[in-house]
Structure formats: structure tokens, C-alpha cells
Amino acid sequence: MKGKTLPAIPAIYGGEIQLIIALRTDKMEIMIGRKLVVIMVGLPARRKTFLSLRLQRYLEWQGFRARIFNVGAYRREALGLGSSRSGFFNPRVKTFAKEREAIAKRCFGDLAGWLRENGDIVIYDATNVTSARRGYLKDECVKNGFDHIFVENICDDPEVLGNIVDSKINTSADYREEDPVIAREDFRRRIEHYRSVYETVDEGSPYIKIFNFGEKLEKNFGPSSLLEEIAEFLGNINLTEKNIFITRHGETLFNIEDRIGGDSALTAKGVDYARRLNDFFKGTDLVVFTSGKRRTIETALYFDCEKAVLPELNEIDSGVCDGMTYAEIASKHPEIDRGRSADKFDFRYPRGESYRDLVQRVKKAVVKIESRRKDVLVIAHRAVNRCLLSYFIPTPLKDIPYIDMPLDRVIRIYRKKALYGHESLEV
Ligand code: F6P
């Protein structure tokens, strides 16, 4: 996170809850706060790792130094694939239980070291289904001066569950050398072992509970805008393998004159793009999101499907430069030109926005895109689309303002396991 991390201040809620106050100065965000451990809770195959990866991406995109520590990976590393068979997870076999605890503790030790030295937020990805294990984790967090939140992923819908188990068998490193039929049976036994000792997170602990991916969300924590945001994000994640398409509006008069900002209408060529875009998506079940600007709404004109105008997708606010050409900016405001060349991501237009500000605005649209269960087409603007794309496809923050984002192109973003891939399509 760019900015200055000030010394920890006393937490205002039982010493457990993250307090982050973002004070915006002209150049930077100052973070005052404690480090946070997000502790996943749930039976095996509840897609905790998937949620962890999505959350890590969302946080990193906002400039947090966030990392996942996965206890399963530590186990495989320490004990090999043999430790993946269900017998190893039998809670009544004391020697195995001890080995599992030792691995969980080692993983937490590494996590604490990383968080102290290098990080802002960590996600501890394991089942953590007993109060005893969670009590240990809570004590360690308190000892280290970290805040913590339990994220319990509860999934009992047989339809969702069937798919989850299958995809776990197909993708998990634990079963890569196993016959799928045998693996499925063994995996079910493993789940039953965990179920036999499962205790849900109680009211005395800070938690976010997610039921059947988006069906219901329960929250139990003190005032914290960061935790509110994490809850909102996780509560909107689902498992649908949809495409997300991103395009800019059709050409405008401002584009021809190289002017930035404004609210100009499409040219004849721009209208032609709007028509071609609609033809391109014929037969696709879509929802279309536009910004509040005329040029994106006009580009969506021919779509006969659900459409929503999201003002958070409006183009970067270029403040005193709105309506100017780049040449005019260079001659009238050379300091702005220099500022952008020196640090385009953090440079804020006077009375306008920076790319860093834009990420904070566009994240509202990200949650809306994630929540949908069908393909989404976003028709927006160059800077906004750069920010959006960089959420799905990890990009160093400072490179975001330079992502190639021409007119007349559609970028298709598709799920690749828990992450995303992308391709650029000509319309
Ligand atoms: O020129 C089109 C435009 O969308 C402007 O409205 C906006 O200010 C600009 O692109 C963003 O691109 P850059 O940050 O590279 O100037």
C-alpha cells in the first residue's frame, strides 16, 4: 500500500477488529491500522481456496499487500500425497491429529512472520472447523497484535455441492494420481471425518458467514469499513463460469479531436460500432452495464436485453483538464503533463481523480459484475476499462495506466480455474 503506515493504535473493539482509516491527502492515502488475518472456516470442498484467491486479488488490486497461506499445501509438502487419503483425517487417530495440528501451527508461524515483516492482510486457508483450532488461532493473533475475522463458508445445497466435489476431484493436487471413482469415495469419507467434529463459529467471535454462495450472508463484527467491504465482496461471489466482456464506447467527436472527458455523442462511425457490437453478441444471454455518459449509453442502444447504468463506470475525472486536448494540457498546464509522466497511477488531476482513485470507484462495479450469474458486457471508457481489466488479470498497479485499450475491440475475460484468462476480439 502506498503511503505511510503509522504505528498501531489501540483497536476500539475488543482488541480484535481491524480499524483502518484512509485519510486522503493530495498525493497519497495514509493507512492507520492493524494487520488483519482472515481465517477461512468450512468443510473440505466448500471452495475456500477459490474464495481466498478472489479475495486476495481484490485486496491486492487495491494496493494491500495480501497473501494466502494454505495448510493443505504445507501438508502435501511435508508428508506427500499419502497424507491426502481419508484415514489421515480421522479425528480419532491421535497421531494423525497431532501431525495435522503441527502442520497447521507451522503454517501459521510462517504467516505471522510474513505479516509482521511484509504484509497488510493474510488469508489462512484451512478447514478450521473446531473451536479448539480457532481458539489457538485467535490467541496467536492476539499475541502478535493482529486483528482477525473468521470467514465461514457454509454450503448445504446438494446441487452446488455435487459440482464442487467433482471439480475438487478433477483439480486438487491431492487426487492427481487417483482414479476418479475411488477418489470421490475417499473424499466423501474425508468430509465425513470433518463433519463429525464440526462446530460452527459462535457469537463470541468476529465472523462473516456465507451460505450457498450468495444465498445469505451473516455478519458479526464491530465497526470496520474494511470488514464491511470484505463481507460485501465475498457475499457476491458465485461459482458461475460466466464471460465478462469489456469494450469502450464507439467513436465520438472528442475522440477525433483527441479531447479528453466531456460527454459527447457518437459519430457515424461510432453508431456503426454500436450496431456491429449488437450483431456480435446476437444469441448471447447478456446483461449490459454502461457508465452514465452519453457515449456508452448510445453504444448500448441496440441491445434488447437487461441494461444498467452504473455511474461508477464514468471515465476518470480529468478535473481542470476536462474537454482539453493532450496538446492543450501540455502547453497550458505543463506541470500536469510532467506529473502524469512521472507517476501516472498516482497523479491526481487538480479537482479530478487519479487512477488510484478510480480503482476505489470501479470496485463497486466489480462487486456487481461478480454477483451476476450470466455473461456481462461492460461498455465504458479507456481508463475505467484499464482498471477493470487489471482486477481480473493481475497487473502491477503502476502499469495499469498503460494497458492498451483501443476503440473497436472487445476483451473477453473467462474463468480459468479460480483465476481468469483473457483475449482481445475484433468486432
Ligand atoms: O481520450 C479518451 C479518454 O477516455 C479520456 O476521456 C480520458 O481522460 C483518457 O482517455 C484516459 O486515458 P489516459 O489516462 O491515458 O490519458
Side-chain angles (χ1 to χ4, degrees), residues 248 255 259-261 295 315-316 326 340 344 349 355 381-383 386 401:
R248 286 175 67 188
N255 290 143
R259 290 188 188 284
I260 67 171
R295 53 197 184 277
E315 182 54 310
I316 190 168
Y326 288 105
R340 293 201 97 209
K344 198 172 171 192
Y349 281 108
Y355 271 82
H381 308 266
R382 177 153 67 186
R386 285 172 173 157

PDB file of all heavy atoms in Angstrom, residues 248 255 259-261 295 315-316 326 340 344 349 355 381-383 386 401, ligand 1:
ATOM      1  N   ARG A 248     -14.841  -0.344 -25.044  1.00  0.00           N
ATOM      2  CA  ARG A 248     -15.054   1.088 -24.934  1.00  0.00           C
ATOM      3  C   ARG A 248     -16.271   1.454 -25.779  1.00  0.00           C
ATOM      4  O   ARG A 248     -16.740   0.676 -26.603  1.00  0.00           O
ATOM      5  CB  ARG A 248     -13.831   1.852 -25.433  1.00  0.00           C
ATOM      6  CG  ARG A 248     -12.671   1.785 -24.464  1.00  0.00           C
ATOM      7  CD  ARG A 248     -11.429   2.450 -25.040  1.00  0.00           C
ATOM      8  NE  ARG A 248     -11.565   3.883 -25.210  1.00  0.00           N
ATOM      9  CZ  ARG A 248     -10.672   4.646 -25.840  1.00  0.00           C
ATOM     10  NH1 ARG A 248      -9.584   4.086 -26.370  1.00  0.00           N
ATOM     11  NH2 ARG A 248     -10.846   5.954 -25.958  1.00  0.00           N
ATOM     12  N   ASN A 255     -13.111  12.029 -29.484  1.00  0.00           N
ATOM     13  CA  ASN A 255     -12.040  11.097 -29.853  1.00  0.00           C
ATOM     14  C   ASN A 255     -11.293  11.604 -31.083  1.00  0.00           C
ATOM     15  O   ASN A 255     -10.068  11.591 -31.131  1.00  0.00           O
ATOM     16  CB  ASN A 255     -12.582   9.692 -30.154  1.00  0.00           C
ATOM     17  CG  ASN A 255     -13.080   8.973 -28.917  1.00  0.00           C
ATOM     18  OD1 ASN A 255     -14.068   8.253 -28.969  1.00  0.00           O
ATOM     19  ND2 ASN A 255     -12.407   9.168 -27.792  1.00  0.00           N
ATOM     20  N   ARG A 259      -9.743  15.040 -27.619  1.00  0.00           N
ATOM     21  CA  ARG A 259     -10.114  15.718 -26.374  1.00  0.00           C
ATOM     22  C   ARG A 259     -10.502  14.700 -25.317  1.00  0.00           C
ATOM     23  O   ARG A 259     -11.064  13.655 -25.636  1.00  0.00           O
ATOM     24  CB  ARG A 259     -11.326  16.641 -26.606  1.00  0.00           C
ATOM     25  CG  ARG A 259     -10.988  17.819 -27.424  1.00  0.00           C
ATOM     26  CD  ARG A 259     -12.094  18.848 -27.523  1.00  0.00           C
ATOM     27  NE  ARG A 259     -11.668  19.840 -28.499  1.00  0.00           N
ATOM     28  CZ  ARG A 259     -10.772  20.788 -28.259  1.00  0.00           C
ATOM     29  NH1 ARG A 259     -10.251  20.916 -27.047  1.00  0.00           N
ATOM     30  NH2 ARG A 259     -10.393  21.620 -29.212  1.00  0.00           N
ATOM     31  N   ILE A 260     -10.212  15.034 -24.068  1.00  0.00           N
ATOM     32  CA  ILE A 260     -10.499  14.071 -23.000  1.00  0.00           C
ATOM     33  C   ILE A 260     -11.755  14.473 -22.223  1.00  0.00           C
ATOM     34  O   ILE A 260     -12.156  15.638 -22.235  1.00  0.00           O
ATOM     35  CB  ILE A 260      -9.293  13.889 -22.048  1.00  0.00           C
ATOM     36  CG1 ILE A 260      -9.007  15.155 -21.257  1.00  0.00           C
ATOM     37  CG2 ILE A 260      -8.061  13.444 -22.823  1.00  0.00           C
ATOM     38  CD1 ILE A 260      -7.962  14.956 -20.161  1.00  0.00           C
ATOM     39  N   GLY A 261     -12.344  13.471 -21.581  1.00  0.00           N
ATOM     40  CA  GLY A 261     -13.511  13.724 -20.729  1.00  0.00           C
ATOM     41  C   GLY A 261     -14.738  14.096 -21.538  1.00  0.00           C
ATOM     42  O   GLY A 261     -14.986  13.556 -22.609  1.00  0.00           O
ATOM     43  N   ARG A 295     -22.013   8.625 -24.441  1.00  0.00           N
ATOM     44  CA  ARG A 295     -21.353   7.794 -25.461  1.00  0.00           C
ATOM     45  C   ARG A 295     -21.441   6.296 -25.155  1.00  0.00           C
ATOM     46  O   ARG A 295     -21.443   5.481 -26.078  1.00  0.00           O
ATOM     47  CB  ARG A 295     -19.899   8.227 -25.649  1.00  0.00           C
ATOM     48  CG  ARG A 295     -19.031   8.295 -24.385  1.00  0.00           C
ATOM     49  CD  ARG A 295     -17.788   9.135 -24.694  1.00  0.00           C
ATOM     50  NE  ARG A 295     -16.771   9.249 -23.643  1.00  0.00           N
ATOM     51  CZ  ARG A 295     -16.812  10.104 -22.644  1.00  0.00           C
ATOM     52  NH1 ARG A 295     -17.872  10.876 -22.467  1.00  0.00           N
ATOM     53  NH2 ARG A 295     -15.807  10.183 -21.780  1.00  0.00           N
ATOM     54  N   GLU A 315     -15.869   7.810 -16.911  1.00  0.00           N
ATOM     55  CA  GLU A 315     -14.431   7.931 -17.175  1.00  0.00           C
ATOM     56  C   GLU A 315     -13.721   8.721 -16.074  1.00  0.00           C
ATOM     57  O   GLU A 315     -14.357   9.483 -15.329  1.00  0.00           O
ATOM     58  CB  GLU A 315     -14.226   8.598 -18.553  1.00  0.00           C
ATOM     59  CG  GLU A 315     -12.776   8.755 -18.996  1.00  0.00           C
ATOM     60  CD  GLU A 315     -11.950   7.455 -18.973  1.00  0.00           C
ATOM     61  OE1 GLU A 315     -11.957   6.749 -17.948  1.00  0.00           O
ATOM     62  OE2 GLU A 315     -11.268   7.169 -19.979  1.00  0.00           O
ATOM     63  N   ILE A 316     -12.410   8.520 -15.954  1.00  0.00           N
ATOM     64  CA  ILE A 316     -11.592   9.246 -14.971  1.00  0.00           C
ATOM     65  C   ILE A 316     -11.940  10.733 -15.051  1.00  0.00           C
ATOM     66  O   ILE A 316     -12.083  11.282 -16.151  1.00  0.00           O
ATOM     67  CB  ILE A 316     -10.082   8.997 -15.226  1.00  0.00           C
ATOM     68  CG1 ILE A 316      -9.243   9.547 -14.076  1.00  0.00           C
ATOM     69  CG2 ILE A 316      -9.619   9.562 -16.561  1.00  0.00           C
ATOM     70  CD1 ILE A 316      -7.780   9.086 -14.117  1.00  0.00           C
ATOM     71  N   TYR A 326      -4.671  16.729 -25.407  1.00  0.00           N
ATOM     72  CA  TYR A 326      -3.402  16.489 -24.695  1.00  0.00           C
ATOM     73  C   TYR A 326      -2.401  17.614 -25.009  1.00  0.00           C
ATOM     74  O   TYR A 326      -1.629  18.025 -24.137  1.00  0.00           O
ATOM     75  CB  TYR A 326      -2.826  15.124 -25.072  1.00  0.00           C
ATOM     76  CG  TYR A 326      -3.620  13.968 -24.467  1.00  0.00           C
ATOM     77  CD1 TYR A 326      -4.469  13.193 -25.247  1.00  0.00           C
ATOM     78  CD2 TYR A 326      -3.521  13.674 -23.110  1.00  0.00           C
ATOM     79  CE1 TYR A 326      -5.202  12.153 -24.703  1.00  0.00           C
ATOM     80  CE2 TYR A 326      -4.257  12.628 -22.546  1.00  0.00           C
ATOM     81  CZ  TYR A 326      -5.093  11.871 -23.341  1.00  0.00           C
ATOM     82  OH  TYR A 326      -5.825  10.839 -22.788  1.00  0.00           O
ATOM     83  N   ARG A 340       1.913  13.599 -14.687  1.00  0.00           N
ATOM     84  CA  ARG A 340       1.405  12.335 -15.242  1.00  0.00           C
ATOM     85  C   ARG A 340       2.552  11.489 -15.780  1.00  0.00           C
ATOM     86  O   ARG A 340       2.546  10.272 -15.642  1.00  0.00           O
ATOM     87  CB  ARG A 340       0.388  12.587 -16.361  1.00  0.00           C
ATOM     88  CG  ARG A 340      -0.902  13.227 -15.894  1.00  0.00           C
ATOM     89  CD  ARG A 340      -2.009  12.978 -16.900  1.00  0.00           C
ATOM     90  NE  ARG A 340      -2.826  11.853 -16.516  1.00  0.00           N
ATOM     91  CZ  ARG A 340      -3.474  11.054 -17.360  1.00  0.00           C
ATOM     92  NH1 ARG A 340      -3.362  11.232 -18.642  1.00  0.00           N
ATOM     93  NH2 ARG A 340      -4.211  10.063 -16.908  1.00  0.00           N
ATOM     94  N   LYS A 344       1.886   8.234 -13.422  1.00  0.00           N
ATOM     95  CA  LYS A 344       0.530   8.328 -13.979  1.00  0.00           C
ATOM     96  C   LYS A 344      -0.506   7.662 -13.076  1.00  0.00           C
ATOM     97  O   LYS A 344      -1.672   8.058 -13.067  1.00  0.00           O
ATOM     98  CB  LYS A 344       0.529   7.688 -15.374  1.00  0.00           C
ATOM     99  CG  LYS A 344      -0.649   8.088 -16.237  1.00  0.00           C
ATOM    100  CD  LYS A 344      -0.496   7.587 -17.660  1.00  0.00           C
ATOM    101  CE  LYS A 344      -1.758   7.789 -18.459  1.00  0.00           C
ATOM    102  NZ  LYS A 344      -1.731   7.078 -19.726  1.00  0.00           N
ATOM    103  N   TYR A 349      -5.525  14.575 -11.230  1.00  0.00           N
ATOM    104  CA  TYR A 349      -5.828  15.836 -11.913  1.00  0.00           C
ATOM    105  C   TYR A 349      -6.349  16.841 -10.885  1.00  0.00           C
ATOM    106  O   TYR A 349      -7.219  16.474 -10.066  1.00  0.00           O
ATOM    107  CB  TYR A 349      -6.954  15.622 -12.944  1.00  0.00           C
ATOM    108  CG  TYR A 349      -6.542  15.000 -14.254  1.00  0.00           C
ATOM    109  CD1 TYR A 349      -6.890  13.683 -14.557  1.00  0.00           C
ATOM    110  CD2 TYR A 349      -5.860  15.736 -15.222  1.00  0.00           C
ATOM    111  CE1 TYR A 349      -6.550  13.109 -15.772  1.00  0.00           C
ATOM    112  CE2 TYR A 349      -5.524  15.168 -16.449  1.00  0.00           C
ATOM    113  CZ  TYR A 349      -5.867  13.861 -16.710  1.00  0.00           C
ATOM    114  OH  TYR A 349      -5.537  13.309 -17.925  1.00  0.00           O
ATOM    115  N   TYR A 355      -5.657   7.473 -11.152  1.00  0.00           N
ATOM    116  CA  TYR A 355      -6.024   6.074 -11.393  1.00  0.00           C
ATOM    117  C   TYR A 355      -6.267   5.358 -10.059  1.00  0.00           C
ATOM    118  O   TYR A 355      -7.154   4.504  -9.956  1.00  0.00           O
ATOM    119  CB  TYR A 355      -4.931   5.358 -12.190  1.00  0.00           C
ATOM    120  CG  TYR A 355      -5.112   5.471 -13.688  1.00  0.00           C
ATOM    121  CD1 TYR A 355      -4.698   6.605 -14.376  1.00  0.00           C
ATOM    122  CD2 TYR A 355      -5.707   4.451 -14.418  1.00  0.00           C
ATOM    123  CE1 TYR A 355      -4.862   6.717 -15.747  1.00  0.00           C
ATOM    124  CE2 TYR A 355      -5.871   4.541 -15.789  1.00  0.00           C
ATOM    125  CZ  TYR A 355      -5.454   5.679 -16.456  1.00  0.00           C
ATOM    126  OH  TYR A 355      -5.631   5.777 -17.818  1.00  0.00           O
ATOM    127  N   HIS A 381     -15.059   3.150 -20.582  1.00  0.00           N
ATOM    128  CA  HIS A 381     -14.075   4.106 -21.101  1.00  0.00           C
ATOM    129  C   HIS A 381     -12.650   3.573 -20.937  1.00  0.00           C
ATOM    130  O   HIS A 381     -12.422   2.618 -20.197  1.00  0.00           O
ATOM    131  CB  HIS A 381     -14.211   5.420 -20.325  1.00  0.00           C
ATOM    132  CG  HIS A 381     -15.601   5.939 -20.288  1.00  0.00           C
ATOM    133  ND1 HIS A 381     -16.076   6.860 -21.190  1.00  0.00           N
ATOM    134  CD2 HIS A 381     -16.651   5.646 -19.460  1.00  0.00           C
ATOM    135  CE1 HIS A 381     -17.347   7.137 -20.918  1.00  0.00           C
ATOM    136  NE2 HIS A 381     -17.726   6.409 -19.866  1.00  0.00           N
ATOM    137  N   ARG A 382     -11.703   4.286 -21.574  1.00  0.00           N
ATOM    138  CA  ARG A 382     -10.324   3.779 -21.606  1.00  0.00           C
ATOM    139  C   ARG A 382      -9.733   3.554 -20.202  1.00  0.00           C
ATOM    140  O   ARG A 382      -9.306   2.451 -19.881  1.00  0.00           O
ATOM    141  CB  ARG A 382      -9.435   4.752 -22.383  1.00  0.00           C
ATOM    142  CG  ARG A 382      -7.986   4.332 -22.408  1.00  0.00           C
ATOM    143  CD  ARG A 382      -7.260   4.827 -23.606  1.00  0.00           C
ATOM    144  NE  ARG A 382      -7.111   6.278 -23.599  1.00  0.00           N
ATOM    145  CZ  ARG A 382      -6.597   6.975 -24.616  1.00  0.00           C
ATOM    146  NH1 ARG A 382      -6.201   6.343 -25.693  1.00  0.00           N
ATOM    147  NH2 ARG A 382      -6.498   8.280 -24.556  1.00  0.00           N
ATOM    148  N   ALA A 383      -9.729   4.611 -19.370  1.00  0.00           N
ATOM    149  CA  ALA A 383      -9.086   4.478 -18.050  1.00  0.00           C
ATOM    150  C   ALA A 383      -9.864   3.496 -17.166  1.00  0.00           C
ATOM    151  O   ALA A 383      -9.274   2.666 -16.469  1.00  0.00           O
ATOM    152  CB  ALA A 383      -8.963   5.839 -17.389  1.00  0.00           C
ATOM    153  N   ARG A 386      -9.186  -0.056 -18.195  1.00  0.00           N
ATOM    154  CA  ARG A 386      -7.853  -0.491 -17.741  1.00  0.00           C
ATOM    155  C   ARG A 386      -7.929  -0.959 -16.285  1.00  0.00           C
ATOM    156  O   ARG A 386      -7.371  -1.991 -15.928  1.00  0.00           O
ATOM    157  CB  ARG A 386      -6.868   0.676 -17.840  1.00  0.00           C
ATOM    158  CG  ARG A 386      -6.440   0.988 -19.257  1.00  0.00           C
ATOM    159  CD  ARG A 386      -5.624   2.271 -19.289  1.00  0.00           C
ATOM    160  NE  ARG A 386      -5.062   2.503 -20.606  1.00  0.00           N
ATOM    161  CZ  ARG A 386      -4.692   3.699 -21.046  1.00  0.00           C
ATOM    162  NH1 ARG A 386      -4.828   4.772 -20.270  1.00  0.00           N
ATOM    163  NH2 ARG A 386      -4.176   3.821 -22.253  1.00  0.00           N
ATOM    164  N   PRO A 401      -2.142   2.322 -15.969  1.00  0.00           N
ATOM    165  CA  PRO A 401      -2.480   3.418 -16.906  1.00  0.00           C
ATOM    166  C   PRO A 401      -1.925   3.234 -18.309  1.00  0.00           C
ATOM    167  O   PRO A 401      -2.199   4.045 -19.185  1.00  0.00           O
ATOM    168  CB  PRO A 401      -1.830   4.654 -16.251  1.00  0.00           C
ATOM    169  CG  PRO A 401      -1.585   4.281 -14.841  1.00  0.00           C
ATOM    170  CD  PRO A 401      -1.341   2.805 -14.833  1.00  0.00           C
TER     171      PRO A 401
HETATM  172  O1  F6P B   1      -9.266  10.055 -24.640  1.00  0.00           O
HETATM  173  C1  F6P B   1     -10.285   9.246 -24.166  1.00  0.00           C
HETATM  174  C2  F6P B   1     -10.176   9.063 -22.663  1.00  0.00           C
HETATM  175  O2  F6P B   1     -11.187   8.157 -22.275  1.00  0.00           O
HETATM  176  C3  F6P B   1     -10.293  10.364 -21.840  1.00  0.00           C
HETATM  177  O3  F6P B   1     -11.603  10.791 -21.593  1.00  0.00           O
HETATM  178  C4  F6P B   1      -9.513  10.017 -20.607  1.00  0.00           C
HETATM  179  O4  F6P B   1      -9.142  11.151 -19.860  1.00  0.00           O
HETATM  180  C5  F6P B   1      -8.379   9.260 -21.201  1.00  0.00           C
HETATM  181  O5  F6P B   1      -8.898   8.525 -22.300  1.00  0.00           O
HETATM  182  C6  F6P B   1      -7.715   8.300 -20.239  1.00  0.00           C
HETATM  183  O6  F6P B   1      -6.508   7.825 -20.803  1.00  0.00           O
HETATM  184  P1  F6P B   1      -5.076   8.390 -20.265  1.00  0.00           P
HETATM  185  O7  F6P B   1      -5.101   8.173 -18.799  1.00  0.00           O
HETATM  186  O8  F6P B   1      -4.056   7.549 -20.975  1.00  0.00           O
HETATM  187  O9  F6P B   1      -4.979   9.857 -20.605  1.00  0.00           O
END
